[in-house]
Amino acid sequence: MNSAAIRVDLQLIADMVDPSARALDVGCGDGSLLAYLVNFKQVDARGMELSQAGVNACVANGLSVIQGDADTDLGDYPDDAFDYVILSQTLQATREPRQVLQQMLRVGKRAIVSFPNFAHWQVRLRMVFGGRMPETPSLPYKWYDTPNIHLCSIDDFRALCADMGVRIERAIVLDRNSKPINLPPLAANLLGEQAVFMLRRD
């Protein structure tokens, strides 16, 4: 990786990770975030990726990545093996989101999670007036080929954390242009297109 330029949401996640920490990126894709953490923050960063193509791309770039499934393979890691466990734009594609969060917070001292907000105003309007499952920049799939099986809103996620007794240390809501917005929760749930949360066990 020759440039520090990564996606805005990935940069926000990277900014939450302390230099020289230990991090596991679950669903790491092509390894963009991993490479940034390794090269620019000297993080001992490992990855887990479901797709063979993603694993191959990461390994080809010298990254430490294994093929694995967030729903089943996080259980193989010992308690507190990492300072951070990261799940970027993947929670909604897991079969058991609550269980995945529990495992992340067992394996890591902190969990960082980002996801698209299904309560964004464009999604609501397209459902109400179009009568069809919405497609937006953060939800770009047709209903029949989407990997997303547990869509949620920002408020849904906050409620899940409260139910699980998980402390939200930091929350960043992004608008449709991937710019952070500082709004009360009700407005953030309406205007936020995606969110990034840093969590810790209570």
Side-chain angles (χ1 to χ4, degrees), residues 49-173:
E49 170 58 30
L50 185 59
S51 77
Q52 187 63 57
V55 173
N56 293 347
C58 291
V59 172
N61 286 318
L63 300 171
S64 178
V65 175
I66 61 167
Q67 188 166 23
D69 185 335
D71 279 294
T72 57
D73 295 324
L74 279 171
D76 295 336
Y77 289 92
D79 295 358
D80 293 323
F82 296 93
D83 299 306
Y84 302 90
V85 179
I86 300 163
L87 192 71
S88 170
Q89 302 293 330
T90 304
L91 183 68
Q92 70 279 359
T94 61
R95 293 186 296 279
E96 300 286 346
R98 183 187 178 111
Q99 183 177 319
V100 168
L101 282 176
Q102 287 173 335
Q103 288 289 348
M104 290 174 67
L105 287 164
R106 179 189 64 78
V107 172
K109 296 175 182 176
R110 289 181 173 85
I112 302 176
V113 182
S114 68
F115 56 90
N117 177 28
F118 200 65
H120 184 261
W121 68 269
Q122 284 186 316
V123 173
R124 299 187 196 200
L125 283 180
R126 290 180 190 194
M127 284 289 288
V128 170
F129 295 109
R132 298 175 64 181
M133 289 298 289
E135 292 176 55
T136 67
S138 61
L139 296 164
Y141 303 98
K142 301 286 187 187
W143 67 269
Y144 51 82
D145 67 357
T146 180
N148 300 322
I149 55 177
H150 288 295
L151 293 163
C152 71
S153 71
I154 294 170
D155 284 356
D156 284 327
F157 188 80
R158 287 184 180 276
L160 175 60
C161 290
D163 186 57
M164 292 175 63
V166 171
R167 187 191 319 164
I168 298 172
E169 285 200 339
R170 191 170 178 197
I172 302 173
V173 176

